[in-house]
Amino acid sequence: QLQLVESGGGSVQVGGSLRVSCKVSGGSWNGICLAWFRQPPGNKRERVAITSGGTNILYDDSVKGRFTIFPDDAENTNYLQMNSLKVEDTGMYYCALASCAGDCWWKTSPSCVGVWGQGTQVTVSS
């Protein structure tokens, strides 16, 4: 059974950087996409990036140029590197295994997700 365990996150001032990791265990996720979501306080969970096998990557416009996702295949871990953080980046961050098909790639609603990580808090203060 596939499981995701996140670590990292924390608090930082505007303009700072943080990194969140997502370790996949319990099997192979070949053919499945790994997505990163965030949920700002009082708002819905929204996707910020998605990758298919670490080669095809799609970023939401709000994070493009600031966030980078990259894998460590030896550790079966995916990382979300967040630079130039803004107050509006504050929220719970989740990694998830999701379908890559159709709109699940382009929009990745929570209904596309099969497995969620436990989430980690990112707080950006001014």
Side-chain angles (χ1 to χ4, degrees):
Q1 182 176 349
L2 288 166
Q3 292 185 318
L4 306 176
V5 177
E6 298 182 51
S7 61
S11 297
V12 69
Q13 290 191 318
V14 169
S17 297
L18 286 172
R19 179 180 293 181
V20 181
S21 66
C22 174
K23 187 171 179 65
V24 183
S25 64
S28 170
W29 56 285
N30 286 337
I32 305 172
C33 281
L34 190 145
W36 287 92
F37 287 77
R38 69 182 172 199
Q39 188 163 13
N43 286 286
K44 294 180 180 179
R45 203 168 292 189
E46 59 188 17
R47 188 208 65 191
V48 296
I50 186 169
T51 181
S52 170
T55 53
N56 297 317
I57 304 173
L58 183 66
Y59 297 97
D60 186 82
D61 287 344
S62 65
V63 306
K64 199 175 294 182
R66 300 188 298 120
F67 289 14
T68 304
I69 56 176
F70 59 94
D72 180 340
D73 293 333
E75 296 293 328
N76 215 19
T77 298
N78 193 270
Y79 294 92
L80 176 65
Q81 176 68 40
M82 301 177 286
N83 299 327
S84 303
L85 282 161
K86 305 176 181 180
V87 170
E88 52 264 42
D89 293 320
T90 295
M92 284 291 289
Y93 281 71
Y94 301 87
C95 61
L97 294 177
S99 169
C100 305
D103 280 350
C104 285
W105 172 258
W106 298 107
K107 297 180 181 179
T108 325
S109 68
S111 64
C112 297
V113 173
V115 181
W116 290 99
Q118 83 278 14
T120 186
Q121 178 67 35
V122 170
T123 302
V124 185
S125 58
S126 59

